[in-house]
Amino acid sequence: MGDPFQSGHDEHGRATFTTARARLAADRADTLARTAALGRDFDGIVAANALVAVDDEHDPEGASTAFERAHVAALMARAREHLEELDLAVERLERGEYGQCEDCGGAIPPERLEIRPAATTCVRCARSVPRRPPRPD
């Protein structure tokens, strides 16, 4: 399959390939920095709680501390998932499949890739997938 950005060996194809690679690298660097900062935040929360005997269930501040710890942990997990998505996007770029919708096979608009460099679907296909699982009745 051809890469819509690298089709042929023309100058435009190479420039677009280079731009996509740079965008993915920049997003990855930002995400790594965010992950490191969140790790420091998480370590700070844990260290602060280690200094006092905090019982999350009975201490008035315990619930907010537990929430804060869980919130930072969730943000860290999401950042790690995003790193995996970016790594997969680089693999698609190398295989010449970057910019192709994994659902319909059409081109993902460059504007979408500029905003979401790791996008795997075009806007139409992304809209057709529910964002949240249905609630049980």
Side-chain angles (χ1 to χ4, degrees):
M1 293 191 169
D3 179 355
F5 295 117
Q6 195 181 15
S7 56
H9 296 292
D10 65 356
E11 195 61 34
H12 176 70
R14 278 192 296 265
T16 307
F17 179 88
T18 302
T19 300
R21 179 177 277 293
R23 188 175 294 128
L24 289 165
D27 194 349
R28 191 171 203 292
D30 289 345
T31 305
L32 282 170
R34 185 170 61 248
T35 301
L38 287 167
R40 288 188 301 273
D41 289 349
F42 187 84
D43 291 345
I45 294 167
V46 171
N49 286 330
L51 297 175
V52 293
V54 175
D55 178 357
D56 286 357
E57 188 175 331
H58 298 99
D59 181 31
E61 295 297 317
S64 62
T65 301
F67 171 80
E68 189 176 353
R69 188 175 52 238
H71 179 72
V72 172
L75 291 172
M76 287 173 54
R78 179 60 194 121
R80 283 192 294 271
E81 288 173 14
H82 188 61
L83 285 172
E84 290 174 19
E85 293 167 356
L86 290 167
D87 290 342
L88 292 171
V90 169
E91 289 176 17
R92 288 191 307 276
L93 184 66
E94 294 298 325
R95 287 192 313 261
E97 298 171 0
Y98 183 77
Q100 290 177 302
C101 178
E102 68 180 16
D103 290 346
C104 71
I108 300 173
E111 299 83 8
R112 177 166 170 75
L113 292 171
E114 186 175 331
I115 295 168
R116 296 183 54 102
T120 59
T121 56
C122 65
V123 175
R124 184 175 49 94
C125 290
R127 284 185 182 152
S128 69
V129 177
R131 292 192 71 149
R132 294 184 189 143
R135 292 182 185 184
D137 291 334

